[in-house]
Amino acid sequence: MRVCSVVGARPQFVKAFPVSRRLRADHEEVLIHTGQHYDEELSGVFFEELDIPEPEYNLGVGSGDHAPQTAEMMRLIDEVLDAESPDVVLVYGDTNSTLAAALVAAKREPMLAHVEAGLRSGKWSMPEEVNRVLTDHCSDLLLTPGENAAETLREDNARGEVVVTGDVMYDAVLAVRDRVLDESTPLPISGLRPDEYVLATVHRASNTDDPDRLAGILDGLTGVDIPVVLPLHPRTENALREHGLYDRAAEEIRLVDPVGYVEFLQLLSNASKVATDSGGVQKEAFYLDTPCVTLRDETEWIETVEAGWNALVGGNPDRISRALFDRSELPPKPELYGGGDAADLTVSAIEAKLADAADD
Ligand code: UD1
Ligand code: UDP
């Protein structure tokens, strides 16, 4: 079978890494990078360190407002599908790259498969929520990280077939775990001692675009008595400068450039806690036994909260600091998002669905 996989943003390179490796063992994959993320530290570094094959196409779409960015991706993806005639289009997660590919594929021949289907925040004002819901309804095959997401799709009357595969990001963590846990490798940022710092990431539009909300998050992060390290997403760096918050943040927080995947997981695994608004990082924290404080009012990964490993604190400074200070013992960890064989199950589900379609 011939699969066109579409990626574009940092978390999608991580998600595609285990699936692409598994796909290419038996099938033909054409990797399409939309160019939504293009800085070396948001894109190139992942391809190099995870040995992801060079994309067959880099569409170079770059940054922009939602409509022109998505429209340009659609136009170019359509041309690639004309040239490649795949059996399957495979998309990941909930970015504008995901939606663009889904909308193009839905009106063409190939089967559309969505990895990380069925996730919901319940917040329609979040661009990713729009992308998820629409992509799910376009898809022929919906691959979910767990039973809750599968149930959501059934309640939503999604037309595609639902298969629970587990989380491909767990496969990714397991693939690099030895490198991450290797104690002979020093921490990638000098002056940090294991368990004596907080790692933070912030990039959601809902946190960066409102100056008061962003200032409140900074107050919350600086309310702790150990160093806070924040690898800065370019959206956040731009917002801090625009809102006149950069100098204050730099005084109290270790602001660093985004780091590579293995280095990031090493920082995460050794942190006393992580404060984040990232989707992927909430799960990775769980997989690496680091308690998470989520700087959002809702989460798609509610199972981590129910398991007692993730505190949902929003943007309130006191709640953020209190959660970061809290050293209560954590409950035993349940298995939440599969057993680390999600890439295998993803490829098997695609093979089976394609075989069924051929029989019809
Ligand atoms: C996007 C996704 C978000 C995902 C995140 C992962 C959408 C709507 N959002 O958000 O779901 O969690 O990626 O990190 O698809 N920029 C650079 N260099 C780059 C890329 C971006 O400087 O290589 C700057 C640009 O100023 C750009 C801004 O970051 O306007 C935002 O980038 P964009 O891709 O639009 O959204 P993200 O916030 O990265
Ligand atoms: N990540 C990384 N370096 C960083 C910050 C994050 O490698 O400096 C990785 C992280 O381990 C996870 C992914 O990027 O695999 C998450 O991406 P992001 O938070 O940008 O997006 P989201 O998951 O929220 O969509």
Side-chain angles (χ1 to χ4, degrees):
M1 87 186 162
R2 187 171 168 74
V3 179
C4 275
S5 304
V6 183
V7 295
R10 171 165 73 182
Q12 293 169 325
F13 311 137
V14 174
K15 289 168 202 182
F17 145 65
V19 180
S20 174
R21 204 159 64 170
R22 173 63 191 77
L23 255 181
R24 285 182 190 232
D26 295 320
H27 302 285
E28 207 181 332
E29 185 190 42
V30 176
L31 191 58
I32 305 172
H33 184 333
T34 63
Q36 179 172 349
H37 284 178
Y38 44 86
D39 286 348
E40 173 62 19
E41 64 266 21
L42 286 193
S43 176
V45 67
F46 295 91
F47 286 81
E48 283 147 33
E49 71 175 332
L50 298 177
D51 217 8
I52 305 171
E54 183 76 17
E56 276 73 17
Y57 293 87
N58 192 324
L59 308 181
V61 170
S63 304
D65 287 340
H66 290 277
Q69 186 187 50
T70 310
E72 183 63 359
M73 288 175 187
M74 287 180 68
R75 192 177 71 73
L76 294 170
I77 291 168
D78 202 42
E79 284 180 9
V80 175
L81 298 191
D82 273 341
E84 296 292 341
S85 304
D87 304 302
V88 179
V89 172
L90 181 59
V91 298
Y92 294 88
D94 54 19
T95 71
N96 288 349
S97 299
T98 316
L99 177 64
L103 289 175
V104 174
K107 293 189 180 176
R108 300 182 60 113
E109 278 287 297
M111 178 182 115
L112 174 64
H114 183 203
V115 171
E116 229 176 61
L119 276 297
R120 296 290 182 267
S121 66
K123 190 171 163 186
W124 191 246
S125 59
M126 192 181 175
E128 292 84 355
E129 185 78 351
V130 177
N131 293 345
R132 287 179 198 122
V133 171
L134 297 182
T135 300
D136 282 345
H137 283 281
C138 288
S139 298
D140 303 296
L141 183 60
L142 297 145
L143 303 151
T144 78
E147 209 29 75
N148 283 347
E151 190 50 37
T152 299
L153 291 166
R154 288 183 207 111
E155 282 168 9
D156 265 15
N157 293 316
R159 45 173 279 284
E161 180 183 343
V162 178
V163 178
V164 180
T165 57
D167 178 20
V168 294
M169 287 188 103
Y170 186 32
D171 295 27
V173 168
L174 293 180
V176 298
R177 191 163 66 172
D178 289 349
R179 279 152 80 187
V180 169
L181 300 182
D182 181 0
E183 285 177 9
S184 65
T185 315
L187 285 173
I189 291 169
S190 62
L192 297 178
R193 287 208 296 263
D195 282 325
E196 292 181 25
Y197 65 93
V198 168
L199 176 65
T201 80
V202 181
H203 75 276
R204 286 285 152 216
S206 54
N207 281 336
T208 58
D209 293 359
D210 173 353
D212 294 336
R213 172 102 178 180
L214 190 55
I217 288 174
L218 293 179
D219 287 342
L221 292 178
T222 52
V224 288
D225 57 351
I226 51 177
V228 177
V229 183
L230 174 56
L232 259 192
H233 189 288
R235 174 192 280 280
T236 316
E237 175 165 359
N238 295 343
L240 287 173
R241 292 192 190 281
E242 217 169 278
H243 306 327
L245 294 167
Y246 187 89
D247 290 345
R248 195 191 112 203
E251 257 169 42
E252 304 191 53
I253 294 176
R254 293 276 305 265
L255 301 179
V256 297
D257 287 336
V259 296
Y261 179 61
V262 174
E263 289 188 342
F264 185 81
L265 292 190
Q266 206 192 352
L267 286 171
L268 178 57
S269 152
N270 283 287
S272 74
K273 290 210 173 186
V274 62
T276 189
D277 60 8
S278 159
V281 175
Q282 290 175 61
K283 294 180 287 170
E284 290 166 344
F286 182 78
Y287 301 142
L288 291 169
D289 301 332
T290 299
C292 185
V293 172
T294 293
L295 309 168
R296 291 181 47 195
D297 304 315
E298 69 299 305
T299 177
E300 300 78 30
W301 304 103
I302 192 70
E303 298 88 347
T304 59
V305 176
E306 288 164 358
W309 280 75
N310 189 0
L312 208 51
V313 297
N316 178 284
D318 293 336
R319 288 185 70 200
I320 296 170
S321 305
R322 252 186 288 125
L324 289 174
F325 265 118
D326 182 12
R327 292 294 148 87
S328 318
E329 205 171 313
L330 291 161
K333 277 197 332 184
E335 186 184 274
L336 289 186
Y337 302 119
D341 54 356
D344 277 349
L345 295 174
T346 296
V347 175
S348 310
I350 296 171
E351 289 167 344
K353 180 80 180 160
L354 210 56
D356 281 355
D359 287 347
D360 286 345

